[in-house]
Amino acid sequence: QVQLVESGGGLVQAGGSLRLSCAASGRTFSSWTMGWFRQAPGKEREFVAAISWRGGSTYYAVSVKGRFTISRDNAKNTVYLQMNSLKPEDTAIYYCAADSSKRVGFATGRYEYEYWGQGTQVTVSS
């Protein structure tokens, strides 16, 4: 059974930084593309970033490019999201997700990811 557990969320002032972690169970973690999504109150869940199974390729939403960095450590079955220069509009619940399809390119739709964590709250105050 696959489990994804996020951690690292919290309250931070605008301009600050947070690092989210997502620990995965499952022996095939290293073959999954991993993604981060977020959902603000009253809004749809939106794509934030994704990383290829080897970590050599990444893809970001325009809204976070240059501020957020996704990375992974396959030896630890963990994916990270380093968030810098945070803005109040980054406030949301952040979810990690796994795509085991081995598709070419990155999926950015929530229904293209099979496994999800429970989410971690990130609140950015102005």
Side-chain angles (χ1 to χ4, degrees):
Q1 186 174 355
V2 175
Q3 282 192 318
L4 303 176
V5 180
E6 302 95 336
S7 61
L11 173 64
V12 64
Q13 288 189 330
S17 298
L18 281 175
R19 188 195 196 201
L20 306 184
S21 299
C22 173
S25 65
R27 290 177 289 179
T28 56
F29 170 81
S30 61
S31 67
W32 302 338
T33 292
M34 297 299 295
W36 285 95
F37 284 72
R38 66 186 181 185
Q39 188 166 16
K43 294 188 176 181
E44 295 289 319
R45 191 170 299 188
E46 64 174 2
F47 171 80
V48 174
I51 188 166
S52 61
W53 64 279
R54 281 186 175 177
S57 297
T58 57
Y59 186 70
Y60 296 92
V62 171
S63 58
V64 306
K65 195 170 185 179
R67 300 188 298 121
F68 290 10
T69 302
I70 187 171
S71 61
R72 68 190 295 162
D73 185 338
N74 286 343
K76 296 182 178 179
N77 277 16
T78 301
V79 62
Y80 305 96
L81 186 68
Q82 177 67 44
M83 305 186 295
N84 299 328
S85 302
L86 283 161
K87 305 175 182 180
E89 51 264 43
D90 294 318
T91 295
I93 298 174
Y94 283 71
Y95 300 89
C96 73
D99 171 12
S100 66
S101 70
K102 300 190 190 314
R103 74 183 73 245
V104 175
F106 290 105
T108 59
R110 60 177 296 184
Y111 298 107
E112 297 173 289
Y113 287 78
E114 297 97 315
Y115 306 108
W116 291 85
Q118 83 290 347
T120 186
Q121 176 70 48
V122 172
T123 303
V124 184
S125 63
S126 57

